[in-house]
Amino acid sequence: MTPQKPNRRAPQQRRKPSAKKPTQKKHIQKRSTTGTQKSGQRKRVPSRKSSRRIPIIPGRQNIKTADIRQDDIRIITLGGVEEIGKNMTIFEYKDSIIIVDAGIQFPGGEAPGVDFIIPDTTYLEQRKEKIKGLFITHGHLDHIGGIPYLMDKIGNPPIYARPLSAAFIKKRQEEFPHLPKIDMRLVEKDSKIKITDELNMRFFSVTHTIPDAMGVILETPQGNIIHTGDLKIDHESGVPLKFELEKFAKIGKENNLCLLTDSTNVDKLGYSFPEREVHENLKRIIQDTNGRLIIGTFASLLERIVFIIKAAEKLGKKVIVDGRSMKVNVEIAKELGLLQAAKHVLIPIEEMEQHSPDKIIILATGAQGDAYAALMRIANKQHKHIKIGPADTIVLSSSVIPGNERDVQKLKDNLARQGAKLVHYTIADVHSSGHAYKEEAGWIIKMIKPRFFIPIHGYHYMLRVHAEIAGKCGIKPGNTVVPDNGMLIDITDKGKKITPLKKKASAGIVMVDGLGTGDVKEVVVRDRKALAEDGMFVIVAVIDVKTGKVRKSPDIISRGFIYLKESQDLLNQTRLLVKKTVEDSTGNMHPINFDYVKDNIRDKIGSFLFNQTKKRPMILPVILEV
Ligand SMILES: [Zn+2]
């Protein structure tokens, strides 16, 4: 998959929490998330009302799972099934564990404000000493993005990757200077790594959307375990090209015990559109466009980006790269020699005016309508250097990721309003996906002929579809396991049987928010959701400790709940109810139990406000003692 960060506020624009110190002795309710919860504590029970509406995201469960038996092979998908993203799979045999990929996922609306989600590595943390290495299939973030957050926790094992993937990992690691140095070991597609006397790791190159993509083969005494990573098959009208045929036929001759492969697009019929043909179409557009040409695409589609720059060179045009991720990726491609000849083709944006418009190609990020990416700034007339006019052609060389439809529509509308000519994948073949469609998926299984099959990389439904395809391609019933995250799949009886165990490895969600990862973040996320839905309601009451009475009319502060100025009646009634509730609760109590008082305020005011407004704001009682 080529993950794209969903549209969201840029991190630097997040509001900093107020650092104001309390000047008076305060009792702020402990149910807010202001740092009263310690890691591992699960004491905080949400109120009946809020839990009814806000689902709890499962956190790490710290399960200690059964150890593997002698001669069995265990496979665990720690991520990348039941979902798209955070791919991570492990293979365990005797005293060795091999990890394949360590990705991240960009959360959607279910985790507001969270930057990424990473796999739960509890199982690995409990068996650090067995880990022999992390093997990277390719440099996309859903395969490498978790590395900075995970390596330390799992004992910093060596990372094996091909040069481009390694360059991406190292580049990302620069953003985390406090971390211990990673032990990076470069491999090539024909390398063979001896893990133990009984285990070897081998690689093979696969067709995807980024150079250096590979699949891995773990040789075990019972046969090969093959993990393809993300892949598609290069073909001509449904006939795989010779190099694909030869490569898979060779693997197919071996003793292949188990195949794990990409399910992202298996519910799409036929063959995927070949990237070669996308390249041809783009080349034609580059050639035929008279004015300036702006191509918006994913920074992760590095093969396409490299192709466009090379095509521009052949046609005597200049390329401007705009957008941070695109610039970083082009820089890495240059460093690795993928763009050697094209160096003089790339020009800085400041030099654009020195060339005639028909010689200019701008490669920009933001084809998903991302609020802060280059294309959106161009569309909103906020770009420092680029103003759009009727002479410009804009190609959106990407599909629309589900969930981004409205943003992409806005982007297209704004560009069209300025008179530019727009080309999108719906009117011309200017995009293709990097994941095998149904026919390719079947072909791969038939070529490899494994005994067991485990579909990975996709939502549960996609995995089911893939399992069905496997059934039609010769995998015996009972030999396919559709995994869930954390499922322990043991190959037993010397490679004769495959069994998913009842007990799973810990497979909760670990969220990365800002710089740290935390185990109690689901609490934070639930509060964010509650705040987003119904807002908050703060009640400040001054209580005389001697009499237990409220000193003056309580103050009320509210955000995102109701418009206070127009709700004076409701506020006056609330103040009276707060006063009554406090005085009923304190009664003849001495000393006063303020937690009890606050609980009562929360309950009484909560039901009152719900009755009046049908909303459940987060209620935060603050009591000042005098
Ligand atoms: Zn990928």
Side-chain angles (χ1 to χ4, degrees):
M1 191 64 182
T2 50
Q4 300 302 319
K5 205 169 172 134
N7 303 330
R8 58 191 318 167
R9 199 155 22 117
Q12 66 270 24
Q13 286 184 314
R14 290 220 176 105
R15 232 188 278 164
K16 287 209 176 79
S18 161
K20 260 192 182 169
K21 278 200 181 129
T23 47
Q24 282 172 285
K25 192 175 171 196
K26 283 186 185 180
H27 290 265
I28 295 179
Q29 63 133 350
K30 288 198 177 90
R31 299 164 81 244
S32 75
T33 55
T34 43
T36 50
Q37 194 87 5
K38 281 201 191 86
S39 169
Q41 276 185 339
R42 284 291 143 86
K43 254 166 57 187
R44 181 180 180 276
V45 180
S47 75
R48 256 183 312 119
K49 289 158 198 150
S50 72
S51 66
R52 208 157 61 209
R53 296 184 57 187
I54 310 293
I56 300 172
I57 294 172
R60 283 155 63 107
Q61 298 128 35
N62 282 317
I63 299 170
K64 175 79 185 161
T65 31
D67 282 328
I68 186 172
R69 287 182 309 184
Q70 183 79 2
D71 293 334
D72 289 358
I73 299 169
R74 177 168 287 175
I75 298 171
I76 312 175
T77 41
L78 287 180
V81 298
E82 303 178 65
E83 64 202 350
I84 298 275
K86 75 173 173 67
N87 299 299
M88 190 176 206
T89 306
I90 64 178
F91 305 131
E92 186 176 5
Y93 178 71
K94 290 185 181 165
D95 58 354
S96 300
I97 289 180
I98 307 292
I99 310 169
V100 180
D101 291 339
I104 49 171
Q105 185 181 40
F106 294 116
E110 77 278 8
V114 170
D115 294 330
F116 334 108
I117 295 171
I118 56 174
D120 181 340
T121 47
T122 307
Y123 187 91
L124 292 170
E125 289 159 42
Q126 289 163 348
R127 294 163 179 82
K128 268 187 231 180
E129 65 294 339
K130 293 179 81 173
I131 301 172
K132 297 291 190 282
L134 165 62
F135 293 79
I136 300 299
T137 59
H138 63 287
H140 283 154
L141 283 176
D142 52 347
H143 297 258
I144 63 165
I147 289 175
Y149 310 104
L150 297 176
M151 292 307 282
D152 214 15
K153 289 197 279 185
I154 59 172
N156 235 340
I159 303 175
Y160 296 88
R162 285 177 76 184
L164 182 70
S165 315
F168 276 116
I169 294 167
K170 281 189 196 147
K171 189 87 204 167
R172 205 169 140 72
Q173 212 67 12
E174 286 170 12
E175 292 168 31
F176 303 84
H178 59 286
L179 292 180
K181 215 173 165 301
I182 48 170
D183 176 5
M184 179 65 74
R185 305 191 186 176
L186 290 187
V187 294
E188 268 315 333
K189 63 174 189 287
D190 36 17
S191 304
K192 182 167 177 168
I193 309 287
K194 186 178 155 89
I195 312 275
T196 64
D197 286 343
E198 291 182 296
L199 299 176
N200 292 304
M201 197 65 153
R202 267 164 48 209
F203 315 97
F204 59 103
S205 59
V206 294
T207 305
H208 188 38
T209 57
I210 185 168
D212 280 4
M214 66 176 186
V216 297
I217 301 175
L218 176 67
E219 297 177 352
T220 78
Q222 295 161 23
N224 294 338
I225 312 237
I226 301 173
H227 183 305
T228 64
D230 286 348
L231 85 167
K232 64 196 278 191
I233 299 296
D234 204 352
H235 65 96
E236 183 100 53
S237 317
V239 180
L241 297 190
K242 196 169 159 243
F243 81 94
E244 298 275 23
L245 190 68
E246 285 173 358
K247 171 176 69 192
F248 282 97
K250 200 170 156 219
I251 299 172
K253 286 198 186 103
E254 300 183 33
N255 174 20
N256 297 323
L257 183 65
C258 185
L259 171 67
L260 298 93
T261 186
D262 182 7
S263 311
T264 310
N265 271 343
V266 292
D267 58 343
K268 300 202 169 96
L269 295 178
Y271 275 79
S272 63
F273 192 72
E275 181 70 17
R276 261 181 311 110
E277 291 181 33
V278 172
H279 289 181
E280 291 297 311
N281 295 341
L282 286 173
K283 194 173 173 190
R284 211 167 302 130
I285 291 172
I286 294 171
Q287 200 165 359
D288 297 346
T289 301
N290 288 322
R292 197 166 52 168
L293 177 63
I294 299 173
I295 304 177
T297 192
F298 299 131
S300 56
L301 296 176
L302 199 54
E303 275 187 9
R304 192 173 304 166
I305 293 167
V306 166
F307 173 83
I308 291 168
I309 297 170
K310 286 185 172 167
E313 184 189 28
K314 278 197 197 111
L315 297 165
K317 302 206 179 194
K318 301 288 177 196
V319 178
I320 292 161
V321 179
D322 198 23
R324 188 177 166 268
S325 52
M326 189 86 85
K327 278 184 181 158
V328 168
N329 289 4
V330 167
E331 214 38 57
I332 290 174
K334 258 163 72 181
E335 280 166 26
L336 270 124
L338 294 168
L339 278 170
Q340 234 159 14
K343 266 183 191 156
H344 60 281
V345 178
L346 295 161
I347 59 164
I349 200 157
E350 293 78 13
E351 284 176 22
M352 183 166 66
E353 301 301 332
Q354 298 168 19
H355 304 269
S356 78
D358 64 335
K359 294 282 176 223
I360 293 291
I361 299 170
I362 298 163
L363 266 174
T365 53
Q368 290 299 309
D370 328 45
Y372 296 93
L375 263 182
M376 201 52 144
R377 280 185 280 124
I378 296 172
N380 294 340
K381 301 186 185 172
Q382 283 169 348
H383 199 287
K384 209 172 146 199
H385 298 279
I386 304 169
K387 302 272 171 295
I388 291 289
D392 293 318
T393 303
I394 298 166
V395 176
L396 299 179
S397 180
S398 64
S399 56
V400 182
I401 292 173
N404 292 349
E405 293 87 352
R406 285 172 67 144
D407 294 305
V408 174
Q409 191 57 51
K410 269 190 222 155
L411 175 77
K412 286 159 82 174
D413 285 350
N414 278 319
L415 292 169
R417 197 177 280 280
Q418 294 165 59
K421 187 179 170 227
L422 270 179
V423 182
H424 202 187
Y425 75 108
T426 44
I427 45 175
D429 288 322
V430 289
H431 177 68
S432 82
S433 153
H435 307 272
Y437 281 26
K438 190 178 176 185
E439 292 299 320
E440 290 155 85
W443 184 84
I444 294 166
I445 296 168
K446 277 192 239 164
M447 291 303 288
I448 291 185
K449 300 185 277 289
R451 170 174 289 172
F452 303 125
F453 179 67
I454 302 175
I456 53 170
H457 300 176
Y459 290 102
H460 184 74
Y461 169 73
M462 299 166 179
L463 308 186
R464 287 270 165 210
V465 170
H466 209 173
E468 247 173 66
I469 296 171
K472 288 185 183 131
C473 293
I475 306 293
K476 286 189 191 136
N479 281 5
T480 292
V481 175
V482 174
D484 285 332
N485 284 328
M487 187 184 273
L488 309 177
I489 303 168
D490 283 0
I491 297 178
T492 58
D493 304 82
K494 296 228 165 323
K496 299 254 163 11
K497 231 176 119 185
I498 190 162
T499 319
L501 305 192
K502 282 207 177 70
K503 197 157 183 189
K504 284 164 83 172
S506 178
I509 284 172
V510 182
M511 285 174 261
V512 180
D513 188 7
L515 281 178
T517 63
D519 291 352
V520 288
K521 285 287 170 58
E522 66 267 31
V523 173
V524 179
V525 169
R526 187 179 45 218
D527 282 354
R528 283 179 192 167
K529 278 190 193 169
L531 288 167
E533 279 192 25
D534 291 333
M536 66 176 224
F537 197 85
V538 183
I539 300 159
V540 186
V542 183
I543 299 182
D544 187 324
V545 282
K546 286 199 203 94
T547 61
K549 292 202 184 306
V550 177
R551 268 287 183 92
K552 58 182 183 69
S553 185
D555 283 330
I556 288 172
I557 307 157
S558 170
R559 290 286 180 275
F561 168 51
I562 46 166
Y563 188 43
L564 291 188
K565 272 194 181 150
E566 289 173 1
S567 316
Q568 288 305 322
D569 265 3
L570 181 75
L571 292 187
N572 287 336
Q573 287 179 50
T574 309
R575 286 195 189 97
L576 287 175
L577 185 60
V578 171
K579 245 175 136 198
K580 185 175 180 306
T581 308
V582 170
E583 289 166 15
D584 286 354
S585 317
T586 51
N588 294 324
M589 193 192 270
H590 196 81
I592 298 167
N593 180 340
F594 286 99
D595 284 339
Y596 173 72
V597 176
K598 279 186 289 179
D599 276 347
N600 279 349
I601 295 179
R602 212 161 23 234
D603 283 354
K604 285 274 174 356
I605 302 301
S607 22
F608 172 70
L609 292 178
F610 182 72
N611 282 334
Q612 299 292 317
T613 65
K614 294 287 172 278
K615 289 210 148 284
R616 302 179 200 276
M618 181 183 285
I619 294 172
L620 306 166
V622 180
I623 293 179
L624 307 177
E625 302 166 34
V626 291

